[in-house]
Amino acid sequence: MTSTTDHRFTRIVLITIAALLSLFSLMALKPAAASAASYSVVSSSNMAKTAYHRSSSKGAVYNISHTRKISNLSSHPNTTWYATKKVTLKHGATKAVYYAVKNGAGNISGYVWHSYLSKGQAPVYLKYAKSAVAMNAKTDKVLYSKNANTPRPIASISKLMTLYLVEQKVANTGSTWDSKVTTSYSGLKRMGASSTYGGFKFNHNTYTVKQLYQAALIESSNNAAIALGQWVAGGSTPSANHHFIGMMNAQAKKWNLGHASFVSANGMEQSALRGYGYSVSGRDANMVSAKDVALIAKHLITDYPAVLSDSSRGSMRVDGQLLYNYNNLLPGRRYYDSSLKVDGLKTGFTNLAGYCFVGTGQKSGHDRLITVVLHDEDEFTETRSLMQYVYARNLI
């Protein structure tokens, strides 16, 4: 026989099952939450293609039913959005005007509440760079400026001045790219072997000018830059290096660079050079403004355009050693943008200078563009944004 307790238990189970089935049935009949929260189109009209940029970082790009967020506006500080349609959406009892937008690249599109947008192309926003400039290499016209005349430590982009003077000696004297440069000084050998300041080891007591030029430009070899400077100055010891630094400053004066002062051929600070026998009296670091850096780069590219053949190389081998180019805007690199046609020029970093970068490229039908960012934390992203800004506004 079945006990009263069993009957009660069975009844409870059946009631529970019935309640659950009823709940599931109601859920099936009720519209999905997303659907209930979706927006409906009240009206829609086409509009002439108009440029907008974000007026607030709080907004987002949504799909037409407002059920899927496509992208946050906070991720697009430099993006120009192009609106082609005005749409009124209804959500509950509330109506709001949205714009159907698409970014310039055409890979992001959707709907943005109109109050999150301001008319006009996006101003470039460089969050990290303490100084920056964009310059037309043909006319010297400054296309963008942020603290561009403030001298700052510039680390290894100092080597652009060194390489210019090397090019000048090869072009104007009996020296050639195959001329031999003495590299036997012990301080330079130790520098090349350093885990911090090295990169190209001096395994021989001489290298050709071209080998050291490529090591200094592509790998940013500090010892190669000093050896080249000594060669330009006509010697192979620290005293010749001191003379070369005088030549760097004389060239800056000749170009009327009012915000440029050099104390090293490679951009290392005196506190670091002291251990290798290459410190000089004066300030600790090369101090050059972003605008003057751009002018140095302009002279190098204009007078000796073959420099771009080497600066565009991703890597190469010299004396069996790999020279790696840290310019991450080159083809195949993380920040590459094929539309910018970047083919150089120089990276730099020290703790004092931060990340520095000189970029250059020339799009078809445009003059060559030179950009400089100093003491940056995101130098390639911000350089790319700066270049895109210049081209989007047809400034060059």
Side-chain angles (χ1 to χ4, degrees):
M1 293 181 64
T2 305
S3 68
T4 301
T5 302
D6 289 340
H7 280 296
R8 288 176 177 171
F9 176 76
T10 301
R11 184 179 180 186
I12 291 170
V13 171
L14 290 173
I15 290 172
T16 301
I17 292 173
L20 289 171
L21 289 173
S22 177
L23 177 63
F24 290 146
S25 177
L26 287 172
M27 290 176 66
L29 292 173
K30 185 179 180 181
S35 177
S38 65
Y39 290 42
S40 58
V41 177
V42 176
S43 63
S44 175
S45 60
N46 293 328
M47 57 188 288
K49 185 177 180 180
T50 307
Y52 286 88
H53 62 276
R54 73 176 196 186
S55 60
S56 170
S57 61
K58 296 179 181 178
V61 183
Y62 286 92
N63 64 345
I64 186 71
S65 60
H66 216 280
T67 55
R68 181 169 62 89
K69 184 186 294 184
I70 296 168
S71 187
N72 289 313
L73 290 181
S74 60
S75 300
H76 302 279
N78 301 305
T79 299
T80 297
W81 301 97
Y82 295 94
T84 55
K85 188 179 293 185
K86 184 178 181 180
V87 180
T88 301
L89 298 181
K90 184 178 181 181
H91 176 56
T94 304
K95 295 180 182 179
V97 174
Y98 281 69
Y99 291 141
V101 300
K102 182 179 291 187
N103 66 346
N107 60 341
I108 302 176
S109 61
Y111 296 80
V112 179
W113 183 41
H114 76 283
S115 291
Y116 283 143
L117 297 173
S118 292
K119 187 176 288 188
Q121 294 183 325
V124 68
Y125 173 62
L126 302 185
K127 180 179 180 180
Y128 299 110
K130 289 188 176 180
S131 294
V133 71
M135 179 181 288
N136 183 320
K138 182 178 180 179
T139 66
D140 294 353
K141 182 179 179 180
V142 173
L143 312 172
Y144 172 86
S145 175
K146 178 183 179 181
N147 301 321
N149 290 315
T150 303
R152 297 188 186 279
I154 61 170
S156 283
I157 59 178
S158 305
K159 295 181 175 77
L160 296 179
M161 177 64 92
T162 296
L163 297 176
Y164 181 91
L165 294 173
V166 171
E167 292 265 18
Q168 191 177 67
K169 180 167 181 173
V170 171
N172 298 333
T173 70
S175 302
T176 70
W177 291 109
D178 292 324
S179 296
K180 297 292 185 179
V181 179
T182 301
T183 54
S184 59
Y185 188 75
S186 61
L188 294 182
K189 288 182 177 290
R190 285 188 290 108
M191 188 183 294
S194 167
S195 59
T196 302
Y197 301 108
F200 182 72
K201 296 180 180 179
F202 283 175
N203 296 320
H204 311 287
N205 289 331
T206 62
Y207 285 89
T208 68
V209 174
K210 189 63 174 180
Q211 286 176 315
L212 296 184
Y213 182 96
Q214 291 170 330
L217 176 61
I218 299 171
E219 176 65 29
S220 198
S221 167
N222 289 308
N223 47 316
I226 291 179
L228 284 169
Q230 292 177 160
W231 174 78
V232 171
S236 58
T237 64
S239 61
N241 171 68
H242 193 283
H243 178 51
F244 178 71
I245 292 168
M247 296 175 68
M248 296 175 78
N249 286 306
Q251 188 65 54
K253 185 176 181 179
K254 182 177 180 180
W255 286 334
N256 296 313
L257 306 185
H259 305 286
S261 176
F262 294 93
V263 292
S264 76
N266 58 15
M268 288 171 60
E269 283 86 42
Q270 299 301 300
S271 53
L273 287 166
R274 193 166 294 118
Y276 300 101
Y278 278 97
S279 61
V280 299
S281 60
R283 67 175 77 249
D284 189 40
N286 295 337
M287 299 291 289
V288 187
S289 70
K291 182 179 178 181
D292 283 354
V293 168
L295 288 168
I296 294 169
K298 169 261 176 76
H299 284 291
L300 177 59
I301 294 168
T302 303
D303 294 349
Y304 307 108
V307 66
L308 298 173
S309 297
D310 285 321
S311 70
S312 61
R313 293 174 183 255
S315 64
M316 67 176 295
R317 287 192 173 273
V318 169
D319 190 36
Q321 301 178 58
L322 178 66
L323 307 180
Y324 183 83
N325 193 331
Y326 291 91
N327 179 353
N328 284 323
L329 286 178
L330 292 177
R333 299 294 174 80
R334 179 180 177 183
Y335 299 97
Y336 174 64
D337 181 338
S338 61
S339 71
L340 300 178
K341 307 298 182 184
V342 173
D343 50 12
L345 188 59
K346 192 73 192 69
T347 60
F349 172 80
T350 67
N351 289 330
L352 180 64
Y355 291 98
C356 303
F357 180 59
V358 182
T360 187
Q362 185 170 11
K363 294 179 68 170
S364 177
H366 297 264
D367 292 340
R368 175 166 290 277
L369 173 64
I370 294 172
T371 59
V372 179
V373 293
L374 301 182
H375 208 293
D376 207 332
E377 294 179 25
D378 196 6
E379 69 275 30
F380 299 114
T381 296
E382 297 207 326
T383 293
R384 185 175 60 187
S385 295
L386 183 53
M387 289 183 168
Q388 290 169 342
Y389 164 84
V390 169
Y391 287 122
R393 285 156 181 75
N394 292 315
L395 299 179
I396 192 171

